[in-house]
Amino acid sequence: VMLGHLVTSDTVGPAIGGTTAVLAFLGGTWFPITGGAMQAIAEALPSYWLVQASHVGLGGAGWGVTGWAVVAAWSVAAALAAAWAYRRDEGRTYG
């Protein structure tokens, strides 16, 4: 919703695709993240925790408090950003 209000209709597809690709790359969707600065970055992203959730189906452990907190924080931030983008877009004069 946020990107739909911030970019044109011609660029919303590439913007969503690019954002998804970056989050997937940094969150360890395509390769395991093991240690170092990349681990800290990955654990701050919801994509990392969604990958961890997929491991439950393979016998892994469920999310801890950190996973829920990160996903909740990103959800709230995304909702606030979408509301801001909507209000910003509605305030424009087209013509």
Side-chain angles (χ1 to χ4, degrees):
V1 173
M2 177 190 68
L3 286 175
H5 285 288
L6 293 178
V7 298
T8 67
S9 60
D10 292 334
T11 59
V12 73
I16 290 172
T19 301
T20 302
V22 168
L23 288 173
F25 175 75
L26 294 175
T29 301
W30 297 323
F31 56 88
I33 305 288
T34 55
M38 272 302 281
Q39 182 75 28
I41 292 168
E43 288 181 2
L45 299 173
S47 52
Y48 173 83
W49 294 103
L50 294 175
V51 169
Q52 299 311 306
S54 72
H55 294 167
V56 172
L58 301 172
W63 288 353
V65 174
T66 304
W68 287 108
V70 169
V71 171
W74 274 84
S75 297
V76 168
L80 291 172
W84 168 82
Y86 174 77
R87 285 190 304 272
R88 175 182 166 266
D89 198 28
E90 288 298 309
R92 291 185 187 168
T93 303
Y94 297 99

